[in-house]
Amino acid sequence: MDRIILNRYADILVTSEHQFGFKKGHSTSMCTMILKETVDYYTFNRGTVFCTLLDATKAFDRIKYCKLFRCLIDRKLPSVVVRLLMSMYTSHVTRIVWNGVQSRWFGVMNGVKQGGVLSPVLFCVYVDGLLKALTAAGVGCFIGNIFTGVLAYADDIVLLSPTASAMRKMLYVCEGYAAAYSMVFNATKSKCIVCESRYSNRSNSRVDNTSLSFTISGSSIEIVGSWTHLGHVISCDSDDRLDIINRCEKFILQINSVLCTFNQLDAIVKTELLKSYCLSLYGCELWDLSNPALDKSCKSWRSGLKRVWGLPYNCRSAILHIISDTVPLYDLMCKRSIMFTRRCLQSESPLVKSVACYAVYHGRMTSTLGRNIHTCSQHFSSTVSALLSEAPTFICRQRYTDDMYKRALATFELIMLRHGILSVPDLYVSNEDMRHCIASVCT
């Protein structure tokens, strides 16, 4: 029934373009991309961005049915569908089981059914009025004439403003909407990040954070240097280093876990396991590809492959990747950055498409997205238009010489001989001699 309602009345249940949650063609990375591009736009133009990440306490459970159904009626959802939803929700009962003891059945008077297909869409409709109110307030950040002052992924809401007074006005709008719609913003879990101009003197900051004060529902919001937004670490200096280091530590842990758990398997199988379980690299499409912290991740990946194949530490990277049928980790990050940029440029969301177009074609080196596509252009010796119009094949393989392929084949055969998979009649080579042979070929 939920799916039927979504399919039949998708145009009625559509929400603000600033809402990224549970929408086709939208993602958490796109939401964070808008945030980072807004910060880049202001800090490179000698401005300041006040970024407040709001935490809504038990947002899905606090929805009032009367308010929700009023929102659906105002959207002209057919009466029969509204009555059906009212019946489904108002007649809903549940009970609690604790240590095998069951409570009596009781009615559920508020909150959407968590786990339901329709529930997240109904929640987005419920908070859509807040996003529209913040847009209509006329304050907040803009990229040109594009309003980027509020971004939401379901109940994760971010406010962006160029001044402290504008941020207070936006928080006041949030307080008013929360009071009217029974929402509660938790000031303890909400955080504010002050991103200053790239050209300001850090030792003599223009913004005195000790004198700043933001409140929500009467409680103060803490000002921090960095915080996590939808899995991405946002820093006040717009540096991706903390986010990259955090992902790199998890990346190394995954590699070690696979190698220890499947130590008895052959190198080919272990290589496939590494590629399957260790290359998620969530959020790498948003990293600045020129950040020096990426080197550690690339070295960790090469080190893991060398351990799998038993190759010396100074083995040539090209030979390593040819043997394992992999590509350099940096090239993989570049490919994901290119594909993400293409999705943003082709997005059906006017907000995502407009910001991506500005970043690539106008912001360029002052924008993370624009800077990355130009970095990829230089790395692959290709034009920006070619990268964005064609599927990025792995150009890195074209850089391998015939000599590298011959050395890789010889190294692979020596490894197979060492493990007894290949054999040569009347040939005996000690492990030490085999190790020297492999080292002389692959280094």
Side-chain angles (χ1 to χ4, degrees):
M1 183 61 68
D2 285 358
R3 293 188 182 278
I4 292 173
I5 293 174
L6 285 177
N7 291 334
R8 291 288 300 273
Y9 306 108
D11 56 334
I12 295 178
L13 298 175
V14 68
T15 54
S16 167
E17 63 179 353
H18 296 92
Q19 174 63 261
F20 290 79
F22 309 101
K23 282 184 175 181
K24 182 180 179 181
H26 292 65
S27 66
T28 55
S29 294
M30 287 183 178
C31 185
T32 306
M33 182 273 291
I34 303 292
L35 190 159
K36 296 182 72 172
E37 288 299 321
T38 302
V39 171
D40 284 345
Y41 178 79
Y42 277 85
T43 55
F44 271 106
N45 286 283
R46 303 183 183 276
T48 301
V49 176
F50 296 85
C51 173
T52 301
L53 300 95
L54 294 177
D55 178 82
T57 303
K58 297 182 179 179
F60 282 76
D61 296 332
R62 290 183 174 274
I63 289 180
K64 294 296 183 181
Y65 291 156
C66 58
K67 297 285 187 180
L68 172 62
F69 298 137
R70 172 54 60 186
C71 291
L72 296 177
I73 292 172
D74 292 341
R75 286 172 172 264
K76 309 299 181 183
L77 190 68
S79 301
V80 64
V81 178
V82 175
R83 288 198 298 269
L84 174 62
L85 292 174
M86 289 177 64
S87 177
M88 290 171 59
Y89 275 90
T90 57
S91 62
H92 183 209
V93 294
T94 189
R95 63 181 176 181
I96 298 172
V97 179
W98 180 262
N99 288 335
V101 180
Q102 300 178 355
S103 72
R104 62 178 179 82
W105 292 97
F106 59 91
V108 179
M109 305 308 296
N110 56 278
V112 293
K113 297 179 180 180
Q114 296 199 26
V117 176
L118 187 61
S119 298
V121 177
L122 293 178
F123 177 82
C124 291
V125 169
Y126 191 78
V127 300
D128 194 49
L130 173 59
L131 304 184
K132 292 179 178 179
L134 289 167
T135 303
V139 295
C141 288
F142 288 80
I143 296 180
N145 60 351
I146 308 167
F147 178 70
T148 58
V150 59
L151 303 169
Y153 195 94
D155 58 336
D156 287 295
I157 301 174
V158 181
L159 306 179
L160 300 167
S161 72
T163 63
S165 59
M167 177 56 66
R168 294 188 182 98
K169 184 174 181 179
M170 297 178 79
L171 290 171
Y172 179 77
V173 173
C174 292
E175 288 181 351
Y177 192 87
Y181 284 82
S182 302
M183 295 178 65
V184 175
F185 290 109
N186 189 341
T188 304
K189 294 183 178 181
S190 299
K191 305 296 177 182
C192 180
I193 305 172
V194 182
C195 303
E196 297 184 55
S197 168
R198 301 289 180 93
Y199 306 100
S200 63
N201 186 353
R202 299 294 177 185
S203 61
N204 186 23
S205 178
R206 294 184 298 105
V207 178
D208 184 8
N209 292 346
T210 59
S211 63
L212 284 176
S213 176
F214 300 115
T215 61
I216 186 77
S217 302
S219 300
S220 297
I221 298 175
E222 181 184 5
I223 297 177
V224 295
S226 62
W227 201 250
T228 303
H229 174 251
L230 301 177
H232 307 274
V233 178
I234 306 299
S235 303
C236 61
D237 57 0
S238 302
D239 194 340
D240 294 322
R241 181 175 175 275
L242 290 177
D243 196 21
I244 295 172
I245 291 175
N246 182 37
R247 293 294 169 188
C248 183
E249 291 174 351
K250 295 179 180 178
F251 179 60
I252 295 172
L253 182 63
Q254 289 173 334
I255 293 176
N256 291 332
S257 177
V258 169
L259 295 181
C260 292
T261 305
F262 303 100
N263 184 51
Q264 302 303 318
L265 298 179
D266 62 76
I268 297 176
V269 175
K270 283 193 286 188
T271 301
E272 293 301 317
L273 289 171
L274 283 179
K275 290 192 286 186
S276 299
Y277 292 101
C278 303
L279 289 180
S280 62
L281 296 175
Y282 173 78
C284 69
E285 61 270 15
L286 296 179
W287 295 341
D288 187 344
L289 294 175
S290 60
N291 196 301
L294 291 176
D295 291 340
K296 184 178 180 181
S297 297
C298 297
K299 290 178 181 177
S300 300
W301 175 243
R302 292 195 297 268
S303 176
L305 291 176
K306 290 172 185 176
R307 288 169 58 188
V308 166
W309 292 94
L311 295 172
Y313 74 94
N314 57 343
C315 171
R316 296 189 184 186
S317 297
I319 294 176
L320 175 66
H321 292 299
I322 293 172
I323 292 175
S324 56
D325 191 28
T326 59
V327 295
L329 188 64
Y330 186 77
D331 286 30
L332 180 59
M333 293 179 184
C334 288
K335 179 189 176 183
R336 294 191 181 183
S337 178
I338 294 169
M339 296 302 293
F340 176 73
T341 304
R342 290 180 62 191
R343 288 198 302 272
C344 291
L345 291 172
Q346 298 168 4
S347 174
E348 295 181 358
S349 167
L351 176 62
V352 174
K353 186 174 183 178
S354 299
V355 172
C357 284
Y358 174 83
V360 173
Y361 299 114
H362 301 283
R364 297 188 180 182
M365 303 308 290
T366 64
S367 152
T368 301
L369 202 67
R371 188 161 55 250
N372 282 350
I373 199 66
H374 285 275
T375 300
C376 293
S377 173
Q378 294 178 354
H379 181 68
F380 290 123
S381 301
S382 179
T383 63
V384 172
S385 58
L387 291 178
L388 294 177
S389 60
E390 302 174 2
T393 56
F394 274 98
I395 310 171
C396 57
R397 289 181 177 172
Q398 300 176 4
R399 300 198 296 266
Y400 298 154
T401 63
D402 290 340
D403 179 64
M404 287 296 176
Y405 280 105
K406 292 176 182 178
R407 284 176 174 268
L409 180 59
T411 304
F412 183 78
E413 290 180 347
L414 289 171
I415 293 173
M416 295 300 102
L417 284 171
R418 182 177 61 187
H419 290 287
I421 299 175
L422 291 179
S423 61
V424 177
D426 303 325
L427 174 67
Y428 173 76
V429 181
S430 66
N431 290 334
E432 184 66 19
D433 291 338
M434 185 64 71
R435 186 177 67 82
H436 284 296
C437 289
I438 292 175
S440 63
V441 174
C442 70
T443 58

